[in-house]
Amino acid sequence: MTSPHAGAARSYLLNERTAEGYRRAMTSATERVADRIRRADRPFSGVDPERLAPEIAAVDLERPLHDHAAALDELERVYLRDAVYFHHPRYLAHLNCPVVIPALLGEAVLSAVNSSLDTWDQSAGGTLIERRLIEWTAGRIGFGPAADGVFTSGGTQSNLHALLLAREEAQAIAGAAPSRLRVITSAAGHFSVRKAANLLGLGPDAVVAVETDDERRMRPDALARELGRCRRAGLVVMAVVATAGTTDFGSIDPLPEIADLCAQAGAWLHVDAAYGCGLLVSRRRRHLLDGVERADSVTVDFHKSFFQPVSSSALLVRDGAVLRHAAHHADYLNPRRMAERGIPNQVDKSLQTTRRFDALKLWLTLRVMGPDAVGELFDEVVDRAAASYALAAADPRFEVVTRSPLSTLVFRYLPPDHLPPDHLRHGDPGRALADDANLYAREALAASGEAVVAGTTVDGRHYLKFTLLNPETTLDDVAHVLDLLAGHAQRYVDDLAPLAGHAEAPHVHA
Ligand SMILES: Cc1ncc(COP(=O)(O)O)c(C=O)c1O
């Protein structure tokens, strides 16, 4: 028997009867977001979890509002009002980009149609569109016709997938026990490499981080030494992970030299270009990725430097045949006979089963804007980062670590009188003060909501970090945020450090 509420419940399903309601609901949601975006005068409200958590806890999930508008009103309070807005020119923190509107069209279409990219019978054209984009990206990398790949949820999954393939290849060739497998990356490589090694059942010593040079690039001599050490110790280097755009410094490892060493050692080369992939469409800086075409596998994160909404990433491989290592044929989904009949199934290549049609966002971006326009946006932020480096390096209030070939800036405020840069010594109380002042400045700035910046440590000391991914961020914005940070840091030195005994930055309330 049908329940008395069945009619009401069914009215929420998207179908031919509700299509008009769907259009109105989507329009009202879009209008609210557009309004928020128009009115945002800062990237963040500065709210802290203590203030926001009770609002969210107070929502009774057992008592629905039965109304889109009422739920969106509530959402203003529990989410939209205090969200962190990446489109704002003074959001300078992590690798989050403002998004392009054609990609948002894709997002709206893909979630409503809700294709699942595992099998042809759940996606049809979606599968072919993803394949075209993989082919296009492989072409930009410089891979040959045997290349292939698959969209993933992000760089972490792409790196895991690459290392899974590398492990299978190494075991097929060398037959080594997992405890004898090694992955070499640089000290500036992404932590997802370690996480992947762990998930793949490699031993605790599996990932070896070799030294970087002054510009935080992997040192080929250090890699050569480590390859030799592994060989002599009877260890199998299943992969070398080079990074094209390290998370903190935007540094690009010397890909041609690394490719030569991998070729000599017979090691799989994975290039983590999660951040640097925007160079694939740059007309001025594509050469910075020279050598990437010699990789066995490449991670690209369209949701970092192609101005795509999260998630949108891909793993590309030079020889598509290696993707078989992740394949499993399930009778209910992708039996072998389908492949034999030439029916295209992306699940045969993916770690995921049900999978969003994220590729559609990139498709519409390329069809509306074209690759050159995306590259221009990325080039602009790289230009801005270079100018920001010059600005901060010439400012005696700051110490800057290195000039990024991409778009980060790692720096710290130096309290005057306390920390002459050329007198830095480990254990110097001035250094502890500088650490605390910079930690405080970042927190105080976030609490004000005027700007959001990131932080990291370099050689054990606390630094601040800008990641520029918004072409709308001007040099004046950068100068203004530097002034704000210097103001907060100096206030810490003058007023708070004597109270805090330099030990730790006090908690900041908005
Ligand atoms: C170099 C690099 N690789 C991989 C990742 C992980 O990417 P995701 O956050 O999309 O999983 C990041 C994230 O910042 C990164 O910077």
Side-chain angles (χ1 to χ4, degrees), residues 310-326:
V310 176
S311 296
S312 184
S313 174
L315 172 72
L316 286 302
V317 291
R318 185 148 50 95
D319 174 9
V322 298
L323 292 171
R324 73 184 180 283
H325 294 307

Side-chain angles (χ1 to χ4, degrees), residues 184-190 208-226 241-254 258 401-402 457-459:
I184 307 177
T185 188
S186 90
H190 194 257
V208 184
V210 298
E211 289 157 54
T212 54
D213 64 14
D214 289 349
E215 293 180 27
R216 310 281 160 173
R217 298 172 300 196
M218 183 189 282
R219 284 178 52 163
D221 58 336
L223 172 61
R225 254 197 321 277
E226 189 54 33
V241 179
T243 314
T246 59
T247 316
D248 277 346
F249 307 104
S251 48
I252 299 173
D253 290 339
I258 294 172
V401 176
T402 178
T457 58
V458 180
D459 304 330

Side-chain angles (χ1 to χ4, degrees), residues 95 153-157 159 188-192 243-248 272-275 299 301 303-304 313:
L95 276 162
S153 61
T156 302
Q157 191 192 139
N159 285 346
H190 194 257
F191 73 86
S192 54
T243 314
T246 59
T247 316
D248 277 346
D272 178 356
Y275 176 14
T299 287
D301 265 7
H303 63 211
K304 289 185 171 55
S313 174

Side-chain angles (χ1 to χ4, degrees), residues 37-317:
I37 300 267
R38 232 183 348 251
R39 286 190 296 121
D41 64 349
R42 50 191 60 208
F44 182 41
S45 68
V47 73
D48 57 31
E50 289 81 12
R51 235 177 48 207
L52 197 51
E55 302 243 31
I56 292 171
V59 173
D60 185 351
L61 295 174
E62 300 293 338
R63 292 167 62 91
L65 298 164
H66 297 299
D67 182 61
H68 290 128
L72 286 172
D73 284 344
E74 181 182 86
L75 200 66
E76 287 277 350
R77 207 162 29 79
V78 298
Y79 176 56
L80 291 173
R81 185 188 67 197
D82 295 305
V84 179
Y85 286 96
F86 302 151
H87 76 279
H88 195 280
R90 291 196 304 276
Y91 176 82
L92 305 174
H94 303 288
L95 276 162
N96 305 113
C97 51
V99 294
V100 291
I101 295 168
L104 293 177
L105 291 185
E107 190 72 67
V109 173
L110 77 91
S111 58
V113 178
N114 201 25
S115 296
S116 177
L117 269 273
D118 38 347
T119 54
W120 170 260
D121 70 353
Q122 298 174 79
S123 63
T127 286
L128 300 180
I129 285 176
E130 174 166 312
R131 287 189 165 197
R132 265 301 295 282
L133 287 168
I134 288 291
E135 211 179 284
W136 176 82
T137 311
R140 287 268 165 176
I141 288 171
F143 280 162
D148 201 351
V150 69
F151 271 66
T152 72
S153 61
T156 302
Q157 191 192 139
S158 297
N159 285 346
L160 169 65
H161 196 162
L163 291 179
L164 166 71
L165 303 178
R167 184 193 68 184
E168 295 302 301
E169 284 290 296
Q171 289 191 318
I173 297 164
S179 62
R180 305 207 63 75
L181 297 175
R182 292 292 178 272
V183 176
I184 307 177
T185 188
S186 90
H190 194 257
F191 73 86
S192 54
V193 173
R194 281 184 192 280
K195 217 169 168 175
N198 212 355
L199 286 166
L200 293 171
L202 309 183
D205 304 323
V207 179
V208 184
V210 298
E211 289 157 54
T212 54
D213 64 14
D214 289 349
E215 293 180 27
R216 310 281 160 173
R217 298 172 300 196
M218 183 189 282
R219 284 178 52 163
D221 58 336
L223 172 61
R225 254 197 321 277
E226 189 54 33
L227 286 166
R229 192 191 67 79
C230 288
R231 191 183 58 247
R232 288 190 299 279
L235 300 167
V236 175
V237 176
M238 65 168 237
V240 171
V241 179
T243 314
T246 59
T247 316
D248 277 346
F249 307 104
S251 48
I252 299 173
D253 290 339
L255 303 179
E257 288 91 331
I258 294 172
D260 285 345
L261 290 167
C262 287
Q264 281 160 26
W268 178 285
L269 172 58
H270 175 63
V271 175
D272 178 356
Y275 176 14
C277 62
L279 297 172
L280 292 172
V281 283
S282 161
R283 279 193 291 191
R284 289 192 276 138
R285 296 187 174 87
R286 172 61 182 82
H287 62 278
L288 294 178
L289 286 182
D290 283 354
V292 68
E293 71 286 353
R294 295 176 62 193
D296 294 285
S297 54
V298 180
T299 287
V300 294
D301 265 7
F302 301 115
H303 63 211
K304 289 185 171 55
S305 47
F306 273 67
F307 306 93
Q308 299 294 293
V310 176
S311 296
S312 184
S313 174
L315 172 72
L316 286 302
V317 291

